[in-house]
């Protein structure tokens, strides 16, 4: 029996309640693939803050839609703020989002994210900082920001450099999409549960309050439908190319590899914003030496200038407004 229940935030876009010691937060903006608004972020933060002193064993973060856990931040609205000169609204969005990322990372009980469908950008910010990330066979994870003239944020400058080898640099620069097997291989995901069994996770946590969350999840975990990670198969080439100290050297090594994977990686780099690639490479190179909060502070400072640049306005236009997928990037200085 639920101890508290109800919708939080505008238009029931976040549903939150506590069921016998397990907090449940459901993202409920399916038509927008749960793209995060400032109001949704505030609603999640209020729920977590309200439960912080409660005797919970875990918090489960999930979606009402099988298509998406969370497609990211509502970046189209950020572009509108930039065009309107409303820097304060954009600052409010990013500051509240990053504050929520830090709260999840520091939360006193395990936060378990159930990732079914698309999980990109801000969706990874909601999930990766929690203790456990459960993926299904429909999960698709990515940080695709260089393709829209932005950079991997929501603490990505902290978690990407801490992935094995040079995988984080590869993911951050190219926006490569990971399936369930890739997510498990990299550590972005901790457990696999088939989509038709995902609804049992919260019930299992409620029914086994004395057991460690990891033990409960291991009982439910199934074998990934993909027998081997595609990233694992090219791991040596990823480390060789994306472990290079400069963008130019990365491209040079990819040319020398002369494989289908290397050609695809080069195509991804060539289609990304040159400005975003430079920002991302520098940010990830420094991130390994920073704490999460230092990374979030650095990212917030970068948002203030990046969202005003022609590449950001053009990238979001091409991807989310006109949807022609043909951005015209600004030419690098010099």
């Amino acid at each position: 029996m639920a101890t508290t229940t109800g919708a939080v935030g505008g238009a029931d876009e976040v549903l939150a309640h506590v069921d016998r010691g397990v907090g449940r937060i459901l993202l409920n903006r399916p038509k927008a693939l749960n793209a995060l608004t400032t109001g949704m972020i505030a609603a999640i933060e209020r729920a977590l803050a309200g439960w912080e002193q409660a005797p919970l064993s875990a918090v489960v973060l999930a979606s009402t839609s099988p298509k998406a856990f969370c497609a990211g931040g509502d970046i189209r609205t950020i572009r509108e703020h930039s065009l309107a000169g409303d820097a304060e609204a954009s600052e409010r969005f990013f500051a509240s989002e990053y504050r929520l990322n830090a709260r999840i990372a520091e939360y006193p009980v395990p936060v378990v994210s159930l990732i079914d469908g698309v999980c990109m950008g801000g969706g990874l910010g909601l999930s990766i900082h929690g203790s456990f990330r459960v993926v299904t066979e429909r999960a698709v994870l990515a940080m695709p920001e260089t393709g829209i003239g932005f950079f991997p944020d929501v603490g990505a400058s902290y978690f990407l450099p801490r992935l094995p080898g040079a995988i984080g640099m590869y993911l951050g620069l190219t926006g490569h999409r990971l399936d369930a097997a890739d997510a498990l291989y990299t550590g972005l995901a901790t457990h696999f549960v088939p989509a038709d069994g995902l609804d049992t996770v919260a019930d299992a946590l409620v029914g086994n309050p004395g057991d460690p969350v990891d033990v409960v999840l291991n009982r439910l975990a199934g074998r990934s439908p993909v027998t081997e990670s595609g990233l694992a198969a090219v791991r040596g080439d990823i480390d060789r190319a994306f472990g290079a100290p400069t963008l130019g050297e990365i491209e040079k090594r990819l040319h020398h590899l002369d494989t289908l994977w290397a050609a695809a990686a080069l195509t991804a780099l060539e289609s990304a914003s040159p400005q975003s690639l430079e920002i991302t490479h520098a940010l990830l190179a420094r991130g390994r030496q920073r704490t999460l909060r230092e990374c979030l502070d650095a990212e917030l400072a970068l948002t203030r200038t990046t969202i005003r640049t022609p590449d950001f306005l053009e990238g979001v236009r091409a991807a989310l407004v006109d949807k022609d997928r043909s951005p015209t990037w600004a030419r690098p200085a010099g």
Side-chain angles (χ1 to χ4, degrees):
M1 183 175 180
T3 56
T4 63
T5 186
V8 191
D12 297 346
E13 290 174 345
V14 174
L15 308 175
H17 71 280
V18 175
D19 182 8
R20 291 167 290 172
V22 174
R24 300 196 195 196
I25 297 174
L26 287 175
L27 305 179
N28 188 40
R29 196 187 178 207
K31 289 184 179 179
L33 300 181
N34 293 327
L36 294 170
T37 64
T38 303
M40 290 173 70
I41 291 165
I44 298 168
E45 175 117 31
R46 282 197 300 272
L48 291 174
W51 298 339
E52 207 155 36
Q53 303 303 319
L56 300 184
S57 59
V59 171
V60 174
L61 186 56
S63 165
T64 60
S65 169
K67 292 183 179 180
F69 172 73
C70 174
D74 191 350
I75 211 75
R76 180 172 177 168
T77 298
I78 298 300
R79 178 180 185 268
E80 292 170 1
H81 293 330
S82 294
L83 290 172
D86 192 351
E88 185 178 341
S90 295
E91 177 88 7
R92 195 161 53 243
F93 172 82
F94 287 115
S96 61
E97 185 180 26
Y98 299 172
R99 186 170 59 247
L100 175 59
N101 298 150
R103 180 182 287 277
I104 290 170
E106 298 165 1
Y107 209 63
V109 300
V111 177
V112 182
S113 293
L114 307 184
I115 302 172
D116 189 25
V118 173
C119 178
M120 296 186 182
L124 276 170
L126 288 181
S127 56
I128 192 64
H129 299 300
S131 304
F132 302 100
R133 286 85 59 193
V134 179
V135 291
T136 75
E137 67 275 13
R138 298 186 295 219
V140 179
L141 285 68
M143 293 298 294
E145 288 78 10
T146 60
I148 59 167
F150 198 53
F151 60 88
D153 64 332
V154 294
S157 61
Y158 179 81
F159 66 77
L160 286 179
R162 287 165 174 77
L163 297 184
I167 288 175
M169 186 65 76
Y170 168 60
L171 298 180
L173 291 176
T174 67
H176 176 80
R177 296 186 175 197
L178 298 84
D179 61 16
D182 288 334
L184 291 163
Y185 173 72
T186 59
L188 290 173
T190 59
H191 297 79
F192 174 83
V193 172
D196 61 7
L198 203 61
D199 289 343
T200 67
V201 173
D203 291 337
L205 292 171
V206 167
N208 297 275
D211 292 346
V213 172
D214 187 50
V215 171
V216 176
L217 294 177
N218 282 334
R219 290 194 198 114
L220 299 173
R223 176 176 292 181
S224 172
V226 181
T227 56
E228 184 182 5
S229 160
L231 288 182
V234 292
R235 170 68 187 281
D237 287 348
I238 290 174
D239 289 353
R240 190 173 300 112
F242 285 85
T246 65
L247 281 170
E249 183 63 22
I250 288 173
E251 292 175 357
K252 181 179 177 181
R253 293 183 187 185
L254 286 171
H255 280 294
H256 284 163
L257 283 172
D258 193 26
T259 63
L260 290 175
W261 170 81
L266 277 169
T267 298
L269 293 177
E270 289 164 359
S271 65
S273 157
Q275 168 188 274
S276 293
L277 293 177
E278 292 286 352
I279 292 172
T280 299
H281 187 270
L283 192 62
L284 298 187
R286 296 188 184 102
R288 192 184 292 271
Q289 303 169 52
R290 290 170 168 164
T291 66
L292 172 59
R293 287 204 175 252
E294 288 171 341
C295 284
L296 291 169
D297 287 345
E299 292 167 13
L300 183 59
L302 275 171
T303 65
R304 296 179 184 124
T305 53
T306 305
I307 63 173
R308 295 188 178 96
T309 63
D311 270 14
F312 175 77
L313 300 176
E314 171 66 3
V316 179
R317 178 207 65 76
L320 300 174
V321 181
D322 298 333
K323 300 182 180 179
D324 56 38
R325 302 286 173 181
S326 299
T328 300
W329 303 121
R331 300 184 69 174

